[in-house]
Amino acid sequence: MKLYIKYMVSQRCKMVVKDELAKLGLDFAVVDLGMVQMMEEISNEDRKTLSINLLNSGLELMEDKKSILIEQIKAVIIEMIHYSEDMPKVNYSDYISEKLKYDYTYLSNIFSEVKGITIQQFIIVNKIERVKELLLYDELNLTEISYKLNYSSVAHLSNQFKKVTGLSPSFYKQLKQKRDNNLENF
């Protein structure tokens, strides 16, 4: 039996879900972003208790098939951008379609209908968030970040970054350095 959980986007969320399942004595095989593979069916009472406990942690047990599919799409994208060492070398549409075993056009239409943005826009926003993280870690330069996230060029990354944030990547990095300097002066 699979359970689908909304807003489950980090390792911390996975730990919260595991803790809640353990509190209820429920056995699971896998806890992944947005999904839990249970060892057996769970009672309606346990499902209701789990749902309430998850809500208290900012997570939501989902029942609606469309919502579940949207969360699966988001989880695949977040996993791909934020937690994979290397971005897939195939088109994102092919990657998402292959992962979820649905036609990409179908996924794209449902995502746009429910979220009000395209899958591509969601990918771009997440890639820019990842760029911001990598800039703040200061381990990679812009060329390396561009390569890591499969941008065609540094200029393409910079243009997309500016379009989303209103700032150039170098200005964003300078803001971080200014903030760090200000903190050191206290």
Side-chain angles (χ1 to χ4, degrees):
M1 160 183 225
K2 287 185 181 177
L3 300 175
Y4 296 94
I5 302 169
K6 193 172 186 174
Y7 309 121
M8 191 174 164
V9 295
S10 68
Q11 298 301 323
R12 186 191 136 308
C13 293
K14 286 169 68 171
M15 288 174 27
V16 167
V17 171
K18 286 178 183 178
D19 288 345
E20 292 302 333
L21 291 169
K23 284 179 196 172
L24 293 171
L26 298 173
D27 295 327
F28 58 89
V30 177
V31 174
D32 216 344
L33 294 179
M35 188 273 302
V36 177
Q37 177 68 52
M38 300 300 296
M39 298 293 273
E40 55 194 35
E41 293 289 321
I42 65 173
S43 70
N44 286 339
E45 187 177 317
D46 282 342
R47 182 186 277 279
K48 189 181 280 188
T49 304
L50 178 62
S51 181
I52 291 166
N53 293 350
L54 290 174
L55 276 172
N56 291 333
S57 299
L59 302 172
E60 185 180 326
L61 195 57
M62 294 186 298
E63 305 293 335
D64 174 47
K65 292 199 183 306
K66 248 186 206 182
S67 297
I68 290 169
L69 190 55
I70 298 301
E71 289 304 308
Q72 287 176 316
I73 294 167
K74 287 167 56 179
V76 165
I77 292 167
I78 289 166
E79 180 79 34
M80 171 182 74
I81 293 172
H82 294 277
Y83 298 108
S84 296
E85 272 307 303
D86 295 312
M87 297 284 284
K89 300 299 180 205
V90 297
N91 288 335
Y92 297 136
S93 56
D94 293 339
Y95 179 80
I96 294 165
S97 184
E98 185 181 311
K99 280 287 215 182
L100 296 176
K101 310 287 188 242
Y102 281 98
D103 176 64
Y104 183 78
T105 304
Y106 173 72
L107 294 173
S108 179
N109 288 338
I110 285 182
F111 193 89
S112 297
E113 174 190 319
V114 172
K115 299 303 287 178
I117 63 169
T118 66
I119 289 177
Q120 189 60 38
Q121 289 168 319
F122 186 77
I123 289 171
I124 289 168
V125 167
N126 274 275
K127 283 177 78 172
I128 295 306
E129 285 304 310
R130 183 71 175 130
V131 170
K132 287 160 71 174
E133 285 174 23
L134 293 169
L135 285 171
L136 293 179
Y137 291 148
D138 211 19
E139 294 172 3
L140 302 174
N141 64 37
L142 212 49
T143 303
E144 293 165 327
I145 293 171
S146 169
Y147 179 77
K148 180 177 180 68
L149 295 177
N150 284 351
Y151 278 96
S152 57
S153 67
V154 173
H156 181 223
L157 181 152
S158 295
N159 288 337
Q160 210 169 65
F161 191 94
K162 184 156 186 148
K163 195 176 196 179
V164 171
T165 66
L167 307 170
S168 70
S170 54
F171 188 75
Y172 180 81
K173 197 168 183 172
Q174 286 173 358
L175 285 176
K176 185 250 186 210
Q177 290 166 340
K178 274 186 183 175
R179 191 174 52 234
D180 289 350
N181 290 339
N182 287 340
L183 290 174
E184 287 173 8
N185 291 332
F186 277 102

